[in-house]
């Protein structure tokens, strides 16, 4: 979404390293088809009825609804046509539809969600070709070739799930070479379009794309991605895992009790072989996230049988319902669940209207200089995020061109930085007190309420909210914190400006020190994502205004 948001909605945007590196690893072709076209249509429809800008909340929810509908419609359609047996088909549709993965991960605007739909569609085409071995099927073959290449330009892992099913096509290609030619032509066509599109998009000189550049300096993003992801040094930057992570941890996390049925009563078919090949190939790479296995979930759930025993079947159904309700609530609502709502809230409350006329016509739109006691002489507002997922900056909806009369929003993602590094970044952003001016710079820190490192110098007694008082009581019962090497900043003031309670930071578990019950009480009891207005206490001048 990010490469097109700024141009479509005229907002400030930030591109990640995948798009800005010397060798970009993300193709823009899938993004143009999946994101750019729907967002452009939304912008056009909105402009027909409204004169204001499309709220980023509307854009976000529209894209989520689109992925939700696409997942249910396309997944169900593919599974319905892939499974010939009505009994097996009903079970597969029920399991896939009731899986928390379908209504959490699969409805996110992930490239993995697109990969799932591409994999199922490609398998359906392979099945159609195999069911009519006596036909050449050049059209289906061409579409298959183009679809596979499209999947590669979306994620280079797409062939992993199609490797074994592709082997089944070799005898057919030997008998019907024109079918192989169709695959080649379809793949060639989509590859050419993607490479031309990417080379044109990433050419920063602003000149017309030349044939010489395409021939001798083409930008092939899947190749760049493959080279990047096969480097151990690069993978270490994103976190490395043991090669059994997918098999022993990620897969059970996604399918829960269905793992037992996969081991005890599998239904051998092309879908199962596709899932197995994908999991095994992806296990070679040492950076392993659960979302990488999204395509395997519907493939496996459509390739298992219920136990022959009625009692065991009832036990499985109960376990399946409990598992998906629990994980659905945890992963769909609470796990890092405050990042998007917090960013939307900041976007709605911090930027002022772009023109005075908008301010007078929309009195409910807040003025940040009044509501948050910001320094009007500072034309930059820094928002630091700590111990959260990377916040989507585009959700702030900061309009372009920027109005120099109001603070510019600057976002710094501290990720899981050590607490001392976080404090240094906050202190640097605030800056020192200047002579004759006791107002420090505008800084907001967003962090989980369960982060213990903040307890030692945030004066929680000043917060009158009952939930915060309860959090303080829970914190008091825990083992004293912080570690000995923590540098306490006594000259900083922290004032809560907003809290979103539906947020859990599962990366903040500390079972060895607190024990299981203690860490759960802290992380769950002090759930929430908090935004603090942070300032330096500057002594001098009017001491009553010492927290900005």
């Amino acid at each position: 979404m990010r490469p097109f948001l700024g141009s479509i909605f005229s907002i400030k945007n930030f591109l990640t390293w995948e798009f800005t590196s010397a060798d970009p690893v993300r193709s823009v072709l899938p993004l143009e088809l999946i994101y750019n076209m729907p967002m452009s249509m939304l912008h056009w429809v909105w402009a027909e009825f409204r004169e204001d800008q499309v709220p980023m909340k509307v854009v976000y929810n529209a894209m989520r609804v689109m992925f939700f509908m696409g997942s249910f419609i396309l997944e169900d359609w593919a599974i319905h046509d892939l499974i010939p047996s009505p009994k097996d088909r009903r079970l597969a549709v029920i399991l896939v539809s009731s899986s928390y993965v379908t209504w959490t991960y699969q409805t996110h605007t992930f490239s993995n969600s697109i990969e799932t739909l591409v994999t199922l569609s490609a398998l359906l085409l392979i099945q159609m070709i195999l069911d009519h071995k006596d036909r050449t099927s050049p059209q289906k073959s061409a579409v298959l070739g183009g679809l596979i290449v499209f999947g590669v330009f979306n994620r280079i892992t797409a062939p992993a799930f199609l490797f074994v099913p592709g082997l089944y096509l070799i005898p057919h290609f030997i008998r019907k070479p024109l079918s192989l030619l169709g695959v080649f032509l379809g793949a060639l066509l989509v590859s050419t379009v993607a490479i031309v599109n990417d080379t044109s998009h990433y050419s920063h000189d602003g000149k017309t794309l030349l044939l010489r550049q395409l021939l001798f300096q083409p930008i092939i993003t899947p190749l760049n991605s493959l080279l990047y992801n096969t480097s151990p040094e690069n993978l270490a930057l994103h976190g490395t895992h043991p090669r059994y992570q997918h098999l022993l941890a990620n897969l059970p996390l996604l399918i829960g009790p269905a793992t037992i049925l996969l081991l005890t009563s599998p239904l051998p078919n092309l879908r199962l072989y596709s899932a197995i090949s994908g999991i095994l190939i992806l296990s070679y790479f040492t950076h392993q996230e659960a979302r990488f296995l999204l395509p395997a979930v519907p493939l496996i759930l459509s390739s298992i049988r219920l136990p022959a025993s009625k009692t065991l079947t009832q036990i499985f159904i109960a376990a399946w319902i409990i598992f998906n309700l629990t994980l659905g609530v945890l992963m769909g609502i609470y796990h890092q669940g405050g990042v998007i709502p917090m960013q939307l809230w900041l976007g709605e409350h911090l930027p002022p209207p772009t023109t005075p006329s908008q301010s007078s016509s929309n009195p409910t739109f807040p003025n940040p200089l009044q509501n948050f006691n910001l320094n009007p002489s500072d034309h930059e507002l820094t928002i630091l995020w700590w111990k959260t997922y990377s916040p989507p900056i585009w959700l702030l909806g900061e309009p372009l061109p920027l109005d120099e009369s109001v603070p510019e929003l600057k976002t710094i993602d501290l990720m899981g930085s050590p607490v001392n590094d976080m404090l240094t970044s906050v202190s640097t952003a605030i800056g020192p007190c200047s002579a004759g001016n006791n107002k420090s710079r505008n800084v907001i820190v967003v962090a989980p309420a369960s982060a213990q490192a903040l307890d030692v110098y945030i004066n929680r007694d000043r917060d009158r909210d009952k939930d915060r008082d309860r959090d303080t009581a829970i914190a008091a019962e825990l083992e004293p914190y912080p570690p000995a090497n923590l540098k306490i900043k006594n000259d900083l003031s922290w004032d809560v400006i907003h809290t979103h309670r539906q947020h859990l930071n599962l990366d903040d578990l500390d079972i060895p020190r607190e024990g299981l019950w203690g860490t759960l009480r802290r992380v769950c009891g002090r759930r929430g994502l908090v935004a603090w207005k942070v300032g330096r206490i500057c002594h001098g001048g009017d001491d009553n205004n010492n927290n900005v």
Side-chain angles (χ1 to χ4, degrees):
M1 294 172 62
R2 291 175 175 174
F4 310 104
L5 284 162
S7 59
I8 296 175
F9 301 106
S10 298
I11 59 173
K12 182 180 177 181
N13 194 23
F14 172 78
L15 297 179
T16 56
W17 66 270
E18 293 100 328
F19 302 97
T20 58
S21 63
D23 299 310
V25 300
R26 289 296 303 273
S27 173
V28 296
L29 178 63
L31 304 181
E32 285 185 343
L33 296 177
I34 305 298
Y35 303 106
N36 187 26
M37 292 177 62
M39 289 191 299
S40 297
M41 182 173 295
L42 173 63
H43 183 266
W44 174 74
V45 171
W46 187 273
E48 289 295 314
F49 299 96
R50 301 282 295 269
E51 294 183 358
D52 58 340
Q53 180 60 275
V54 184
M56 292 302 101
K57 186 174 184 179
V58 173
V59 178
Y60 174 77
N61 288 330
M63 296 304 297
R64 289 293 301 271
V65 169
M66 186 189 77
F67 269 71
F68 173 81
M69 296 299 296
S71 296
F72 267 97
I73 294 173
L74 295 180
E75 272 192 276
D76 285 358
W77 166 69
I79 291 174
H80 184 276
D81 286 2
L82 278 169
I83 304 176
S85 168
K87 180 180 178 181
D88 294 337
R89 185 188 304 151
R90 284 194 299 270
L91 175 61
V93 170
I94 292 174
L95 289 178
V96 173
S97 300
S98 60
S99 170
Y100 84 94
V101 174
T102 302
W103 25 282
T104 55
Y105 290 117
Q106 192 60 35
T107 60
H108 278 282
T109 54
F110 290 150
S111 59
N112 310 89
S113 305
I114 302 173
E115 183 182 23
T116 301
L117 301 180
V118 169
T119 300
L120 288 172
S121 301
L123 282 176
L124 182 58
L125 286 169
I126 292 174
Q127 189 64 58
M128 289 179 177
I129 294 173
L130 293 176
D131 288 342
H132 301 87
K133 297 179 180 180
D134 55 329
R135 301 179 185 177
T136 302
S137 303
Q139 296 88 353
K140 291 185 179 67
S141 299
V143 173
L144 175 62
L147 188 62
I148 292 175
V149 170
F150 177 85
V152 171
F153 276 85
N154 175 63
R155 288 189 65 85
I156 59 168
T157 55
F161 293 95
L162 300 175
F163 176 73
V164 172
L167 297 179
Y168 279 75
L169 289 174
I170 293 178
H172 175 74
F173 289 151
I174 294 176
R175 293 192 304 269
K176 304 289 182 180
L178 288 179
S179 185
L180 178 60
L181 179 62
V183 172
F184 174 77
L185 292 177
L188 179 64
L189 175 62
V190 177
S191 298
T192 302
V193 172
I195 293 174
V196 170
N197 201 41
D198 289 343
T199 305
S200 175
H201 179 82
Y202 289 113
S203 297
H204 301 294
D205 54 10
K207 299 179 181 178
T208 303
L209 185 63
L210 301 177
L211 180 61
R212 181 177 56 191
Q213 186 177 6
L214 280 173
L215 293 177
F216 299 103
Q217 293 179 317
I219 295 179
I220 308 176
T221 51
L223 178 60
N224 295 340
S225 180
L226 181 63
L227 294 175
Y228 182 90
N229 285 283
T230 51
S231 169
E233 293 78 11
N234 293 334
L235 293 181
L237 298 175
H238 305 275
T240 56
H241 308 89
R243 286 195 164 91
Y244 54 78
Q245 176 84 11
H246 277 325
L247 282 172
L248 299 186
N250 293 339
L251 185 60
L253 176 66
L254 294 174
I255 64 175
T259 307
I260 299 175
L261 298 186
L262 175 63
L263 298 175
T264 58
S265 55
L267 187 64
N269 54 52
L270 204 61
R271 302 182 302 281
L272 183 60
Y273 303 149
S274 171
I276 293 174
S277 69
I279 295 171
L280 292 180
I281 293 175
L282 292 181
S283 296
Y284 170 78
F285 300 95
T286 55
H287 178 61
Q288 302 184 12
E289 298 180 31
R291 62 185 177 92
F292 295 168
L293 300 185
L294 290 191
V297 173
L299 300 176
I300 291 175
L301 294 181
S302 61
S303 303
I304 56 177
R305 300 186 183 95
L306 290 176
S309 168
K310 183 178 180 180
T311 301
L312 292 179
T313 297
Q314 291 174 342
I315 293 175
F316 169 77
I317 293 175
W320 179 254
I321 293 174
I322 294 172
F323 169 78
N324 284 286
L325 285 178
T326 303
L327 270 293
V329 172
L330 178 63
M331 306 304 295
I333 298 178
Y334 282 98
H335 178 52
Q336 296 290 340
V339 174
I340 298 299
M342 179 65 76
Q343 191 76 318
L344 288 171
W345 185 90
L346 291 172
E348 292 172 355
H349 289 76
L350 290 182
T354 55
T355 64
S357 61
Q358 286 179 293
S359 180
S360 59
S361 63
N362 187 8
T364 61
F365 203 110
N367 186 331
L369 301 182
Q370 296 175 356
N371 285 23
F372 302 116
N373 202 18
L374 301 183
N375 181 3
S377 63
D378 183 14
H379 292 286
E380 183 176 88
L381 194 158
T382 303
I383 307 174
L384 299 100
W385 291 73
W386 187 51
K387 286 184 175 292
T388 69
Y389 283 174
S390 181
I393 294 178
W394 64 272
L395 288 175
L396 292 173
E398 190 176 8
L400 293 174
L402 299 176
D403 188 345
E404 295 183 357
S405 65
V406 297
E408 177 186 356
L409 302 182
K410 178 182 178 182
T411 299
I412 299 177
D413 182 14
L414 299 176
M415 298 181 285
S417 302
V419 60
N420 282 335
D421 294 346
M422 181 272 292
L423 294 175
T424 300
S425 298
V426 172
S427 183
T428 302
I430 295 174
C433 299
S434 58
N437 180 18
N438 65 337
K439 290 181 177 290
S440 58
R441 304 191 67 181
N442 299 320
V443 173
I444 291 175
V445 174
V446 180
S450 61
Q452 297 180 92
L454 301 178
D455 293 348
V456 295
Y457 57 92
I458 292 179
N459 188 354
R460 294 182 181 271
D461 292 336
R462 287 170 22 182
D463 301 325
R464 296 182 174 87
D465 185 86
K466 293 182 179 179
D467 290 333
R468 303 290 292 161
D469 291 341
R470 183 195 61 188
D471 295 345
T472 305
I474 293 175
E477 297 178 10
L478 299 176
E479 182 180 335
Y481 196 86
N485 64 344
L486 177 61
K487 300 175 183 177
I488 300 177
K489 305 287 184 179
N490 292 320
D491 60 339
L492 298 180
S493 63
W494 298 66
D495 298 300
V496 176
I497 62 175
H498 185 64
T499 300
H500 184 84
R501 291 288 294 169
Q502 293 178 342
H503 180 95
L504 286 177
N505 179 27
L506 298 183
D507 298 326
D508 202 21
L509 301 178
D510 193 0
I511 298 177
R513 189 182 67 87
E514 301 173 316
L516 177 61
W517 179 242
T519 196
L520 289 178
R521 290 186 65 197
R522 175 178 56 84
V523 173
C524 297
R526 290 170 53 177
R527 64 189 178 278
L529 189 65
V530 183
W532 287 275
K533 169 64 177 69
V534 185
R536 192 179 303 281
I537 302 176
C538 301
H539 300 285
D542 182 7
D543 286 338
N544 293 327
N545 194 13
N546 64 356
N547 64 342
V548 293

